[in-house]
Amino acid sequence: MPLSLTTLSLVASLVSLQEGVKILERDNYCCRYCGLDGRASFENALVMSVDFVVPRARKGKKDPQNLVACCRPCNAIKGTRVYANIDEARACSRSAMSYAKFGNPKPLGQSPGPRTHKTPANRSTHGGL
């Protein structure tokens, strides 16, 4: 078992390629949190991974019941949190994904205003031309 540098304790080892493929096949290549279909496109297949439901950092075991197919964005959103059940994790993942996709929506009638790139006053925006 590897040693966690943040907690200085032993954690479960990473999932091997063969173990990961078995988990992805078991879950039909679909993210268990947001439902992304890993077989729908090449891009979707690239973001699929395996997640520890109870994270390794929280003493999660490398056991098939603790592993799920997951897209990388949901895996990053989940982090080291532990949820009571998969439905709670899905709700958190979906709300975070909608916030990341749409930002903090403004009330109707308010324009977010133009986006501008701010440069320091002493730098030219044309690379010295």
Side-chain angles (χ1 to χ4, degrees):
M1 290 183 113
L3 182 69
S4 169
L5 295 178
T6 56
T7 62
L8 296 177
S9 60
L10 295 176
V11 293
S13 59
L14 295 174
V15 177
S16 72
L17 178 63
Q18 294 82 11
E19 292 166 328
V21 169
K22 284 181 186 177
I23 299 300
L24 289 169
E25 287 175 349
R26 180 197 70 193
D27 293 343
N28 203 25
Y29 290 87
C30 286
C31 176
R32 294 289 302 271
Y33 302 122
C34 72
L36 178 79
D37 184 1
R39 292 184 175 173
S41 71
F42 180 72
E43 291 81 10
N44 286 3
L46 289 176
V47 299
M48 292 304 296
S49 65
V50 175
D51 181 45
F52 282 76
V53 176
V54 176
R56 293 170 50 218
R58 307 256 182 178
K59 306 286 186 193
K61 305 290 183 216
K62 189 171 89 171
D63 182 6
Q65 288 83 20
N66 190 43
L67 300 170
V68 294
C70 178
C71 67
R72 285 193 180 93
C74 284
N75 197 338
I77 289 166
K78 180 179 169 278
T80 59
R81 289 186 209 99
V82 178
Y83 295 100
N85 56 44
I86 196 75
D87 293 326
E88 185 182 331
R90 281 184 185 137
C92 180
S93 176
R94 287 184 178 145
S95 66
M97 291 286 257
S98 67
Y99 182 83
K101 187 182 239 183
F102 301 111
N104 190 5
K106 300 275 186 194
L108 290 176
Q110 286 188 353
S111 170
R115 291 183 171 228
T116 58
H117 179 71
K118 296 178 182 177
T119 57
N122 59 353
R123 274 187 45 209
S124 168
T125 58
H126 301 291
L129 294 177

PDB file of all heavy atoms in Angstrom, residues 19-42:
ATOM      1  N   GLU A  19      -8.390  -3.695 -13.928  1.00  0.00           N
ATOM      2  CA  GLU A  19      -9.457  -3.458 -12.947  1.00  0.00           C
ATOM      3  C   GLU A  19     -10.355  -2.310 -13.401  1.00  0.00           C
ATOM      4  O   GLU A  19     -11.584  -2.381 -13.272  1.00  0.00           O
ATOM      5  CB  GLU A  19      -8.863  -3.120 -11.584  1.00  0.00           C
ATOM      6  CG  GLU A  19      -8.137  -4.274 -10.932  1.00  0.00           C
ATOM      7  CD  GLU A  19      -7.273  -3.852  -9.760  1.00  0.00           C
ATOM      8  OE1 GLU A  19      -6.735  -2.722  -9.772  1.00  0.00           O
ATOM      9  OE2 GLU A  19      -7.148  -4.653  -8.826  1.00  0.00           O
ATOM     10  N   GLY A  20      -9.749  -1.260 -13.943  1.00  0.00           N
ATOM     11  CA  GLY A  20     -10.522  -0.115 -14.426  1.00  0.00           C
ATOM     12  C   GLY A  20     -11.449  -0.483 -15.562  1.00  0.00           C
ATOM     13  O   GLY A  20     -12.616  -0.061 -15.591  1.00  0.00           O
ATOM     14  N   VAL A  21     -10.966  -1.286 -16.492  1.00  0.00           N
ATOM     15  CA  VAL A  21     -11.804  -1.724 -17.621  1.00  0.00           C
ATOM     16  C   VAL A  21     -12.981  -2.548 -17.112  1.00  0.00           C
ATOM     17  O   VAL A  21     -14.109  -2.390 -17.586  1.00  0.00           O
ATOM     18  CB  VAL A  21     -10.964  -2.505 -18.659  1.00  0.00           C
ATOM     19  CG1 VAL A  21     -11.845  -3.182 -19.687  1.00  0.00           C
ATOM     20  CG2 VAL A  21      -9.989  -1.565 -19.350  1.00  0.00           C
ATOM     21  N   LYS A  22     -12.740  -3.415 -16.125  1.00  0.00           N
ATOM     22  CA  LYS A  22     -13.833  -4.215 -15.562  1.00  0.00           C
ATOM     23  C   LYS A  22     -14.905  -3.320 -14.936  1.00  0.00           C
ATOM     24  O   LYS A  22     -16.100  -3.553 -15.107  1.00  0.00           O
ATOM     25  CB  LYS A  22     -13.303  -5.181 -14.498  1.00  0.00           C
ATOM     26  CG  LYS A  22     -12.597  -6.377 -15.063  1.00  0.00           C
ATOM     27  CD  LYS A  22     -12.134  -7.289 -13.950  1.00  0.00           C
ATOM     28  CE  LYS A  22     -11.303  -8.432 -14.490  1.00  0.00           C
ATOM     29  NZ  LYS A  22     -10.782  -9.288 -13.400  1.00  0.00           N
ATOM     30  N   ILE A  23     -14.479  -2.279 -14.213  1.00  0.00           N
ATOM     31  CA  ILE A  23     -15.440  -1.360 -13.583  1.00  0.00           C
ATOM     32  C   ILE A  23     -16.201  -0.579 -14.654  1.00  0.00           C
ATOM     33  O   ILE A  23     -17.425  -0.430 -14.573  1.00  0.00           O
ATOM     34  CB  ILE A  23     -14.728  -0.392 -12.607  1.00  0.00           C
ATOM     35  CG1 ILE A  23     -14.046  -1.156 -11.471  1.00  0.00           C
ATOM     36  CG2 ILE A  23     -15.684   0.665 -12.067  1.00  0.00           C
ATOM     37  CD1 ILE A  23     -14.967  -1.990 -10.612  1.00  0.00           C
ATOM     38  N   LEU A  24     -15.498  -0.077 -15.675  1.00  0.00           N
ATOM     39  CA  LEU A  24     -16.159   0.663 -16.756  1.00  0.00           C
ATOM     40  C   LEU A  24     -17.169  -0.228 -17.477  1.00  0.00           C
ATOM     41  O   LEU A  24     -18.280   0.210 -17.797  1.00  0.00           O
ATOM     42  CB  LEU A  24     -15.130   1.222 -17.729  1.00  0.00           C
ATOM     43  CG  LEU A  24     -14.284   2.379 -17.197  1.00  0.00           C
ATOM     44  CD1 LEU A  24     -13.113   2.671 -18.142  1.00  0.00           C
ATOM     45  CD2 LEU A  24     -15.119   3.621 -17.001  1.00  0.00           C
ATOM     46  N   GLU A  25     -16.795  -1.476 -17.744  1.00  0.00           N
ATOM     47  CA  GLU A  25     -17.719  -2.399 -18.408  1.00  0.00           C
ATOM     48  C   GLU A  25     -18.922  -2.702 -17.511  1.00  0.00           C
ATOM     49  O   GLU A  25     -20.051  -2.751 -17.986  1.00  0.00           O
ATOM     50  CB  GLU A  25     -16.989  -3.688 -18.797  1.00  0.00           C
ATOM     51  CG  GLU A  25     -16.059  -3.492 -19.974  1.00  0.00           C
ATOM     52  CD  GLU A  25     -15.227  -4.719 -20.299  1.00  0.00           C
ATOM     53  OE1 GLU A  25     -15.202  -5.693 -19.498  1.00  0.00           O
ATOM     54  OE2 GLU A  25     -14.581  -4.699 -21.361  1.00  0.00           O
ATOM     55  N   ARG A  26     -18.680  -2.903 -16.226  1.00  0.00           N
ATOM     56  CA  ARG A  26     -19.781  -3.169 -15.286  1.00  0.00           C
ATOM     57  C   ARG A  26     -20.790  -2.024 -15.294  1.00  0.00           C
ATOM     58  O   ARG A  26     -22.001  -2.236 -15.265  1.00  0.00           O
ATOM     59  CB  ARG A  26     -19.221  -3.353 -13.874  1.00  0.00           C
ATOM     60  CG  ARG A  26     -20.293  -3.636 -12.829  1.00  0.00           C
ATOM     61  CD  ARG A  26     -19.811  -3.414 -11.428  1.00  0.00           C
ATOM     62  NE  ARG A  26     -19.622  -1.988 -11.177  1.00  0.00           N
ATOM     63  CZ  ARG A  26     -18.981  -1.493 -10.130  1.00  0.00           C
ATOM     64  NH1 ARG A  26     -18.430  -2.298  -9.250  1.00  0.00           N
ATOM     65  NH2 ARG A  26     -18.865  -0.192  -9.963  1.00  0.00           N
ATOM     66  N   ASP A  27     -20.291  -0.770 -15.344  1.00  0.00           N
ATOM     67  CA  ASP A  27     -21.157   0.407 -15.323  1.00  0.00           C
ATOM     68  C   ASP A  27     -21.539   0.880 -16.719  1.00  0.00           C
ATOM     69  O   ASP A  27     -22.061   1.985 -16.892  1.00  0.00           O
ATOM     70  CB  ASP A  27     -20.479   1.537 -14.549  1.00  0.00           C
ATOM     71  CG  ASP A  27     -20.339   1.217 -13.061  1.00  0.00           C
ATOM     72  OD1 ASP A  27     -21.029   0.294 -12.580  1.00  0.00           O
ATOM     73  OD2 ASP A  27     -19.539   1.886 -12.394  1.00  0.00           O
ATOM     74  N   ASN A  28     -21.256   0.042 -17.725  1.00  0.00           N
ATOM     75  CA  ASN A  28     -21.634   0.325 -19.118  1.00  0.00           C
ATOM     76  C   ASN A  28     -21.039   1.638 -19.635  1.00  0.00           C
ATOM     77  O   ASN A  28     -21.666   2.362 -20.395  1.00  0.00           O
ATOM     78  CB  ASN A  28     -23.151   0.312 -19.281  1.00  0.00           C
ATOM     79  CG  ASN A  28     -23.568   0.051 -20.710  1.00  0.00           C
ATOM     80  OD1 ASN A  28     -22.825  -0.548 -21.484  1.00  0.00           O
ATOM     81  ND2 ASN A  28     -24.746   0.511 -21.069  1.00  0.00           N
ATOM     82  N   TYR A  29     -19.847   1.973 -19.186  1.00  0.00           N
ATOM     83  CA  TYR A  29     -19.108   3.169 -19.617  1.00  0.00           C
ATOM     84  C   TYR A  29     -19.906   4.459 -19.413  1.00  0.00           C
ATOM     85  O   TYR A  29     -19.771   5.415 -20.180  1.00  0.00           O
ATOM     86  CB  TYR A  29     -18.655   3.034 -21.077  1.00  0.00           C
ATOM     87  CG  TYR A  29     -17.577   2.008 -21.273  1.00  0.00           C
ATOM     88  CD1 TYR A  29     -17.885   0.666 -21.478  1.00  0.00           C
ATOM     89  CD2 TYR A  29     -16.241   2.365 -21.241  1.00  0.00           C
ATOM     90  CE1 TYR A  29     -16.893  -0.282 -21.647  1.00  0.00           C
ATOM     91  CE2 TYR A  29     -15.233   1.419 -21.405  1.00  0.00           C
ATOM     92  CZ  TYR A  29     -15.572   0.093 -21.600  1.00  0.00           C
ATOM     93  OH  TYR A  29     -14.582  -0.839 -21.758  1.00  0.00           O
ATOM     94  N   CYS A  30     -20.755   4.489 -18.390  1.00  0.00           N
ATOM     95  CA  CYS A  30     -21.541   5.688 -18.072  1.00  0.00           C
ATOM     96  C   CYS A  30     -21.114   6.234 -16.721  1.00  0.00           C
ATOM     97  O   CYS A  30     -20.959   5.471 -15.765  1.00  0.00           O
ATOM     98  CB  CYS A  30     -23.035   5.371 -18.028  1.00  0.00           C
ATOM     99  SG  CYS A  30     -23.740   5.125 -19.651  1.00  0.00           S
ATOM    100  N   CYS A  31     -20.954   7.554 -16.638  1.00  0.00           N
ATOM    101  CA  CYS A  31     -20.616   8.194 -15.372  1.00  0.00           C
ATOM    102  C   CYS A  31     -21.765   7.978 -14.397  1.00  0.00           C
ATOM    103  O   CYS A  31     -22.920   8.277 -14.719  1.00  0.00           O
ATOM    104  CB  CYS A  31     -20.359   9.688 -15.577  1.00  0.00           C
ATOM    105  SG  CYS A  31     -20.047  10.584 -14.041  1.00  0.00           S
ATOM    106  N   ARG A  32     -21.466   7.461 -13.223  1.00  0.00           N
ATOM    107  CA  ARG A  32     -22.500   7.171 -12.233  1.00  0.00           C
ATOM    108  C   ARG A  32     -23.042   8.440 -11.584  1.00  0.00           C
ATOM    109  O   ARG A  32     -24.069   8.400 -10.924  1.00  0.00           O
ATOM    110  CB  ARG A  32     -21.952   6.242 -11.153  1.00  0.00           C
ATOM    111  CG  ARG A  32     -21.586   4.847 -11.632  1.00  0.00           C
ATOM    112  CD  ARG A  32     -22.783   3.989 -11.981  1.00  0.00           C
ATOM    113  NE  ARG A  32     -23.712   3.825 -10.896  1.00  0.00           N
ATOM    114  CZ  ARG A  32     -23.665   2.873  -9.988  1.00  0.00           C
ATOM    115  NH1 ARG A  32     -22.732   1.972 -10.019  1.00  0.00           N
ATOM    116  NH2 ARG A  32     -24.575   2.823  -9.038  1.00  0.00           N
ATOM    117  N   TYR A  33     -22.360   9.575 -11.770  1.00  0.00           N
ATOM    118  CA  TYR A  33     -22.805  10.822 -11.144  1.00  0.00           C
ATOM    119  C   TYR A  33     -23.641  11.681 -12.091  1.00  0.00           C
ATOM    120  O   TYR A  33     -24.700  12.155 -11.706  1.00  0.00           O
ATOM    121  CB  TYR A  33     -21.610  11.613 -10.625  1.00  0.00           C
ATOM    122  CG  TYR A  33     -20.777  10.838  -9.617  1.00  0.00           C
ATOM    123  CD1 TYR A  33     -19.439  10.596  -9.839  1.00  0.00           C
ATOM    124  CD2 TYR A  33     -21.348  10.346  -8.454  1.00  0.00           C
ATOM    125  CE1 TYR A  33     -18.677   9.881  -8.924  1.00  0.00           C
ATOM    126  CE2 TYR A  33     -20.600   9.618  -7.531  1.00  0.00           C
ATOM    127  CZ  TYR A  33     -19.270   9.400  -7.768  1.00  0.00           C
ATOM    128  OH  TYR A  33     -18.521   8.686  -6.869  1.00  0.00           O
ATOM    129  N   CYS A  34     -23.168  11.895 -13.305  1.00  0.00           N
ATOM    130  CA  CYS A  34     -23.903  12.785 -14.224  1.00  0.00           C
ATOM    131  C   CYS A  34     -24.551  12.051 -15.391  1.00  0.00           C
ATOM    132  O   CYS A  34     -25.328  12.636 -16.129  1.00  0.00           O
ATOM    133  CB  CYS A  34     -22.982  13.885 -14.749  1.00  0.00           C
ATOM    134  SG  CYS A  34     -21.741  13.315 -15.935  1.00  0.00           S
ATOM    135  N   GLY A  35     -24.213  10.772 -15.588  1.00  0.00           N
ATOM    136  CA  GLY A  35     -24.828   9.996 -16.656  1.00  0.00           C
ATOM    137  C   GLY A  35     -24.150  10.122 -18.009  1.00  0.00           C
ATOM    138  O   GLY A  35     -24.666   9.600 -18.999  1.00  0.00           O
ATOM    139  N   LEU A  36     -22.989  10.780 -18.079  1.00  0.00           N
ATOM    140  CA  LEU A  36     -22.282  10.923 -19.351  1.00  0.00           C
ATOM    141  C   LEU A  36     -22.015   9.544 -19.944  1.00  0.00           C
ATOM    142  O   LEU A  36     -21.504   8.660 -19.270  1.00  0.00           O
ATOM    143  CB  LEU A  36     -20.954  11.650 -19.149  1.00  0.00           C
ATOM    144  CG  LEU A  36     -20.105  11.826 -20.409  1.00  0.00           C
ATOM    145  CD1 LEU A  36     -20.640  12.989 -21.228  1.00  0.00           C
ATOM    146  CD2 LEU A  36     -18.655  12.047 -20.046  1.00  0.00           C
ATOM    147  N   ASP A  37     -22.381   9.357 -21.214  1.00  0.00           N
ATOM    148  CA  ASP A  37     -22.180   8.083 -21.889  1.00  0.00           C
ATOM    149  C   ASP A  37     -20.797   8.074 -22.531  1.00  0.00           C
ATOM    150  O   ASP A  37     -20.557   8.794 -23.492  1.00  0.00           O
ATOM    151  CB  ASP A  37     -23.265   7.866 -22.941  1.00  0.00           C
ATOM    152  CG  ASP A  37     -23.175   6.507 -23.612  1.00  0.00           C
ATOM    153  OD1 ASP A  37     -22.290   5.695 -23.262  1.00  0.00           O
ATOM    154  OD2 ASP A  37     -24.001   6.245 -24.501  1.00  0.00           O
ATOM    155  N   GLY A  38     -19.898   7.272 -21.995  1.00  0.00           N
ATOM    156  CA  GLY A  38     -18.535   7.197 -22.510  1.00  0.00           C
ATOM    157  C   GLY A  38     -18.431   6.581 -23.883  1.00  0.00           C
ATOM    158  O   GLY A  38     -17.408   6.704 -24.552  1.00  0.00           O
ATOM    159  N   ARG A  39     -19.482   5.922 -24.337  1.00  0.00           N
ATOM    160  CA  ARG A  39     -19.477   5.293 -25.671  1.00  0.00           C
ATOM    161  C   ARG A  39     -20.109   6.182 -26.732  1.00  0.00           C
ATOM    162  O   ARG A  39     -20.101   5.835 -27.905  1.00  0.00           O
ATOM    163  CB  ARG A  39     -20.211   3.962 -25.619  1.00  0.00           C
ATOM    164  CG  ARG A  39     -19.467   2.938 -24.797  1.00  0.00           C
ATOM    165  CD  ARG A  39     -20.152   1.608 -24.840  1.00  0.00           C
ATOM    166  NE  ARG A  39     -19.335   0.623 -24.133  1.00  0.00           N
ATOM    167  CZ  ARG A  39     -19.716  -0.597 -23.883  1.00  0.00           C
ATOM    168  NH1 ARG A  39     -20.890  -1.012 -24.269  1.00  0.00           N
ATOM    169  NH2 ARG A  39     -18.923  -1.422 -23.235  1.00  0.00           N
ATOM    170  N   ALA A  40     -20.666   7.318 -26.348  1.00  0.00           N
ATOM    171  CA  ALA A  40     -21.373   8.183 -27.297  1.00  0.00           C
ATOM    172  C   ALA A  40     -20.424   8.874 -28.275  1.00  0.00           C
ATOM    173  O   ALA A  40     -20.793   9.120 -29.417  1.00  0.00           O
ATOM    174  CB  ALA A  40     -22.203   9.221 -26.558  1.00  0.00           C
ATOM    175  N   SER A  41     -19.218   9.197 -27.832  1.00  0.00           N
ATOM    176  CA  SER A  41     -18.259   9.863 -28.721  1.00  0.00           C
ATOM    177  C   SER A  41     -16.846   9.597 -28.227  1.00  0.00           C
ATOM    178  O   SER A  41     -16.629   9.182 -27.092  1.00  0.00           O
ATOM    179  CB  SER A  41     -18.511  11.378 -28.762  1.00  0.00           C
ATOM    180  OG  SER A  41     -18.134  11.968 -27.535  1.00  0.00           O
ATOM    181  N   PHE A  42     -15.904   9.848 -29.096  1.00  0.00           N
ATOM    182  CA  PHE A  42     -14.498   9.659 -28.747  1.00  0.00           C
ATOM    183  C   PHE A  42     -14.105  10.582 -27.606  1.00  0.00           C
ATOM    184  O   PHE A  42     -13.389  10.184 -26.690  1.00  0.00           O
ATOM    185  CB  PHE A  42     -13.627   9.926 -29.983  1.00  0.00           C
ATOM    186  CG  PHE A  42     -12.160   9.759 -29.725  1.00  0.00           C
ATOM    187  CD1 PHE A  42     -11.610   8.506 -29.536  1.00  0.00           C
ATOM    188  CD2 PHE A  42     -11.330  10.864 -29.674  1.00  0.00           C
ATOM    189  CE1 PHE A  42     -10.255   8.350 -29.296  1.00  0.00           C
ATOM    190  CE2 PHE A  42      -9.973  10.723 -29.427  1.00  0.00           C
ATOM    191  CZ  PHE A  42      -9.436   9.457 -29.246  1.00  0.00           C
TER     192      PHE A  42
END
